[in-house]
Amino acid sequence: MDLREALENDTVSHVGFPAPVTIQKEQPVKRAIERMKRRRVGCILVLSGEQLVGIFTERDLITRVLGQ
């Protein structure tokens, strides 16, 4: 299968996903970074209780935290 055909026909679920990494919004940025490093992921889902309220990414760390 060539790239174009794969992009048109494969579903996102075909790619497979690790279990999501989450953190409560009240937790410090340091804890989010520790979890991301430990799980070797580039983002972490931010929750308020069980509701998704955001996604914290490596880019957020660079631009919003270190860039201040």
Side-chain angles (χ1 to χ4, degrees):
M1 178 180 306
D2 71 347
L3 179 58
R4 177 175 285 145
E5 189 177 339
L7 293 173
E8 291 175 354
N9 296 316
D10 284 351
T11 62
V12 175
S13 64
H14 179 78
V15 175
F17 301 98
V21 181
T22 63
I23 194 162
Q24 290 296 315
K25 69 178 186 176
E26 297 83 11
Q27 295 297 313
V29 170
K30 180 180 179 180
R31 184 158 303 162
I33 295 166
E34 290 168 349
R35 286 188 185 176
M36 291 166 63
K37 284 176 59 177
R38 186 172 53 248
R39 295 285 297 275
R40 296 182 176 164
V41 296
C43 68
I44 189 167
L45 302 178
V46 182
L47 305 176
S48 178
E50 293 190 20
Q51 182 177 357
L52 177 66
V53 295
I55 302 173
F56 181 77
T57 66
E58 291 172 331
R59 183 174 175 92
D60 292 327
L61 173 63
I62 293 167
T63 61
R64 296 181 180 191
V65 179
L66 301 177
Q68 293 183 2

